[in-house]
Amino acid sequence: MAKIAYILLCHKDPDAIILQAERLTAAGDYMSIHFDARANSRHFQKIQQVLHDNPNVTFARKRIKCGWGEWSLVQASLNAIEAAVEAFPDATHFYMLSGDCMAIKTAEYAHEFLDENDKDFVESVDFFDSYWIKTGMREERLIYRHYFNERKHKKLFYASFNLQRKLGLTREIPADLQMMIGSQWWCLRRQTIEAILEFSRTRRDVMRFFRTTWIPDETFFQTLVRHLIPEEEIDSRTLTFLMFSDYGMPVSFYNDHYDLLLSQDFLFARKISPEAKELKIRLGRLYATRGVDFQISNEGRSLYKFLTGRGRIGRRFAMRFWETESSLGRERELMIVVCKKWHVAKRLLEQIRQVTNLPAIDYLFDEEATALPDLGGIQATLGKRTRHRRALMRMLFEYFDTDRLVVCMDPSNIELLNDFYSDRSKTRILEIECQFTDDYLIGHARRVGLAGERTSQATLERLLPTIRNDLTYEADRIRDAGFEKYGRIHQAADAETNGEKLAAFLSISSEKGLQIAATDHLYAD
């Protein structure tokens, strides 16, 4: 049975630290605490005094003054690890935590998970080939020596960096190491921890190198685990659920996130808001509970991306000059069918092909697998199709040797619609207005990754109004744009009414329009 020694780095809120230690050790696990030497000494004395008689708690023998981005964070971790290895000889795993982390699974679940997965869990990707670092220094973190804290001594930090760069004072990375990078919240097996401690004692050259790298807590353990442990024994992910905003700031969790957190495929979550009193109480009781059945749906990150993205609609980069200056052709007609239910639009297009013999293409800007002719590679990916949309459309007109072309688009593509309407060609839109049942919206949420098969009913019920409003908003944006030659057919309308709209859209007879509108099971889900 797995027994976990938690390595806790902390610097504030002694009452929360005491509670965290008591909760995690109550289930038989251990904790080794490093309390920042810069922090209030009375807080540390209170933690020691309250936890002194707890045999499952130990403290780093030497406390370090820690600074963000410095080696001090790694040294503090090593000090706490050494204390844990000595104090808890039967600990099988060592799990790095901060004071802002809380368990989102029971000890029973965590122990069974680790017993079934004999691996080291550490996010560890190639430093140079990955895009883990989004902005700021990359190789400069390693090849220059960093002696000052960037946040506390900014002028000295950059003066030292710029001087080294000007004089060419770079250094080599230790030849036998492949530099890796990843989250500092790892869970490592005992044999791995012991190998790292032994390596740190014998390879003084590597230790000297890391001591003056920038933000080594994202590279030290990540690199050494890959260096010392076979790849098949490493799972390159963290077991701590955390998310970041588009601005690089950690996302905080609040009282109403309890069900969402429990459904994620992680053991802990970070950061829990200080104001989330109820959430802390509920999660605090969870760890020692037995017999809890967790329904893992793992939709947290996709939900966050979806919901935060609602406030950014309408923003885009300026169009490239060749997009605005090129034209599909003054005499050409582009007919765009817009529908959120792709299967409905595809059925309609198939009937249009049969009745009118017009070339009609499904969701070419939304679906990678849409059948397209070979146009020299411009059709190969969605990214290329969107970037070179006018060139792509001209080539399709030429390929089919026609001046009339029908395509499908998702209602979310308002920028594409605006762009095609600004062209000198004749552009028409036909929107298919469908009815959306709750069952359909739930299926839609699962198809796009907003929910999983095990997402709770309560989560789905909270999500449904947002999805429904989002679909309404997309349709309203199209109508508010005031496009000329815009028509709309309704699922609830009769075939004769819809047939007239189709006839006007396609410039065909009323009889053919009715034939298309009367397609069997056109709106069936």
Side-chain angles (χ1 to χ4, degrees):
M1 173 65 77
K3 292 182 76 69
I4 307 169
Y6 292 104
I7 309 301
L8 180 64
L9 300 189
C10 49
H11 65 281
K12 61 180 181 179
D13 203 347
D15 293 330
I17 292 167
I18 292 167
L19 277 175
Q20 191 178 33
E22 290 176 340
R23 289 163 178 163
L24 295 179
T25 58
D29 288 315
Y30 306 112
M31 179 171 285
S32 179
I33 299 173
H34 179 279
F35 194 79
D36 193 340
R38 294 185 191 275
N40 191 318
S41 60
R42 292 194 301 274
H43 290 174
F44 181 58
Q45 291 169 5
K46 179 178 181 179
I47 295 170
Q48 279 189 311
Q49 181 179 359
V50 175
L51 298 176
H52 178 266
D53 294 329
N54 189 328
N56 287 14
V57 175
T58 191
F59 295 88
R61 287 194 179 86
K62 184 177 180 182
R63 294 167 59 209
I64 303 294
K65 292 182 179 180
C66 296
W68 186 89
E70 294 180 6
W71 168 256
S72 56
L73 288 174
V74 178
Q75 188 61 62
S77 303
L78 290 172
N79 291 355
I81 290 169
E82 288 175 344
V85 167
E86 182 176 340
F88 313 125
D90 58 341
T92 61
H93 293 78
F94 295 76
Y95 196 124
M96 178 66 71
L97 289 178
S98 77
D100 296 318
C101 298
M102 289 198 73
I104 56 174
K105 297 292 184 294
T106 61
E108 180 182 55
Y109 181 99
H111 295 158
E112 290 177 0
F113 177 88
L114 295 175
D115 284 338
E116 293 170 2
N117 296 275
D118 186 22
K119 292 188 175 184
D120 294 307
F121 291 88
V122 54
E123 187 179 29
S124 177
V125 298
D126 189 277
F127 186 96
F128 297 100
D129 291 340
S130 70
Y131 290 93
W132 200 87
I133 301 173
K134 298 295 188 295
T135 60
M137 292 183 176
R138 290 181 64 85
E139 65 273 8
E140 293 88 354
R141 292 189 184 193
L142 308 176
I143 63 175
Y144 296 107
R145 297 166 178 83
H146 300 278
Y147 298 104
F148 303 100
N149 185 290
E150 191 264 350
R151 292 188 174 181
K152 294 182 178 178
H153 306 290
K154 188 179 291 287
K155 289 184 178 179
L156 289 173
F157 179 91
Y158 285 105
S160 171
F161 167 66
N162 290 326
L163 179 62
Q164 291 180 71
R165 186 167 56 177
K166 182 178 181 179
L167 298 177
L169 299 178
T170 60
R171 59 175 175 176
E172 296 293 330
I173 296 169
D176 59 333
L177 293 185
Q178 179 185 1
M179 292 301 300
M180 311 298 287
I181 191 168
S183 167
Q184 63 268 52
W185 312 112
W186 41 254
C187 177
L188 304 177
R189 297 168 298 173
R190 187 180 192 92
Q191 60 265 37
T192 303
I193 285 292
E194 290 176 343
I196 289 173
L197 292 178
E198 177 61 25
F199 184 91
S200 67
R201 286 190 287 267
T202 58
R203 288 294 302 271
R204 307 315 299 173
D205 59 322
V206 173
M207 301 301 283
R208 283 194 300 272
F209 170 79
F210 276 108
R211 284 180 188 277
T212 51
T213 59
W214 181 232
I215 320 182
D217 54 318
E218 293 179 352
T219 55
F220 179 78
F221 292 100
Q222 296 78 357
T223 298
L224 293 197
V225 171
R226 287 284 178 181
H227 182 71
L228 298 169
I229 304 301
E231 183 175 359
E232 60 271 17
E233 296 181 24
I234 301 171
D235 192 331
S236 184
R237 73 179 183 105
T238 176
L239 294 179
T240 298
F241 180 59
L242 66 164
M243 298 189 296
F244 290 90
S245 71
D246 289 348
Y247 306 102
M249 300 301 292
V251 173
S252 294
F253 299 107
Y254 295 90
N255 290 333
D256 57 349
H257 289 138
Y258 180 78
D259 291 331
L260 181 141
L261 290 176
L262 265 59
S263 67
Q264 305 311 304
D265 190 17
F266 297 85
L267 303 184
F268 280 76
R270 183 180 188 273
K271 291 183 164 186
I272 308 300
S273 170
E275 289 81 30
K277 307 294 186 184
E278 181 184 343
L279 178 61
K280 288 187 174 184
I281 291 171
R282 297 179 73 183
L283 291 178
R285 294 170 179 162
L286 176 68
Y287 193 70
T289 307
R290 302 186 65 83
V292 179
D293 183 22
F294 294 94
Q295 301 296 316
I296 306 299
S297 55
N298 220 31
E299 76 279 17
R301 290 193 173 112
S302 58
L303 267 177
Y304 177 78
K305 183 178 179 181
F306 169 74
L307 294 173
T308 55
R310 299 310 91 197
R312 303 191 182 97
I313 293 173
R315 298 184 183 180
R316 69 185 300 273
F317 293 106
M319 291 185 293
R320 294 171 174 81
F321 70 90
W322 61 79
E323 294 174 350
T324 56
E325 294 303 322
S326 59
S327 173
L328 307 187
R330 189 179 299 276
E331 303 305 319
R332 286 173 171 163
E333 292 183 53
L334 177 62
M335 291 162 280
I336 305 174
V337 175
V338 175
C339 184
K340 197 65 183 182
K341 289 188 176 181
W342 293 7
H343 57 283
V344 174
K346 289 179 180 180
R347 288 191 197 120
L348 185 74
L349 254 66
E350 180 56 35
Q351 193 70 1
I352 288 173
R353 294 187 194 100
Q354 294 181 17
V355 172
T356 68
N357 205 31
L358 283 171
I361 302 172
D362 296 342
Y363 289 84
L364 71 168
F365 295 109
D366 303 284
E367 200 169 29
E368 196 92 57
T370 298
L372 290 171
D374 186 352
L375 302 173
I378 195 173
Q379 83 295 339
T381 66
L382 289 177
K384 286 185 177 181
R385 296 175 203 170
T386 303
R387 282 196 304 274
H388 309 298
R389 46 190 172 270
R390 294 197 185 186
L392 172 69
M393 210 62 75
R394 285 200 311 274
M395 295 172 77
L396 287 171
F397 276 109
E398 293 165 2
Y399 177 86
F400 289 110
D401 192 21
T402 184
D403 287 330
R404 307 185 71 219
L405 181 66
V406 184
V407 300
C408 281
M409 288 191 196
D410 189 89
S412 62
N413 291 327
I414 187 69
E415 291 86 2
L416 291 176
L417 296 175
N418 280 319
D419 189 29
F420 285 126
Y421 254 92
S422 67
D423 190 78
R424 291 192 293 271
S425 63
K426 300 171 185 176
T427 304
R428 299 175 186 171
I429 290 178
L430 179 73
E431 181 184 0
I432 306 176
E433 187 174 16
C434 298
Q435 296 171 347
F436 300 101
T437 64
D438 286 352
D439 287 341
Y440 175 83
L441 293 180
I442 290 171
H444 171 74
R446 287 172 176 155
R447 285 190 294 275
V448 300
L450 296 178
E453 290 300 325
R454 296 184 174 183
T455 298
S456 69
Q457 187 62 33
T459 299
L460 291 172
E461 289 174 358
R462 287 197 298 270
L463 185 60
L464 284 179
T466 302
I467 297 176
R468 193 179 295 279
N469 289 339
D470 198 55
L471 300 185
T472 301
Y473 176 69
E474 289 179 352
D476 286 344
R477 280 201 305 165
I478 293 174
R479 295 166 198 175
D480 293 342
F483 294 128
E484 295 182 7
K485 299 177 183 177
Y486 162 83
R488 186 165 79 248
I489 62 175
H490 304 261
Q491 180 174 348
D494 56 62
E496 289 76 12
T497 302
N498 286 340
E500 290 298 326
K501 299 285 184 66
L502 280 162
F505 173 66
L506 297 168
S507 300
I508 58 177
S509 66
S510 296
E511 291 77 12
K512 287 186 176 180
L514 178 59
Q515 184 180 350
I516 296 170
T519 301
D520 290 337
H521 311 297
L522 177 60
Y523 297 98
D525 291 332

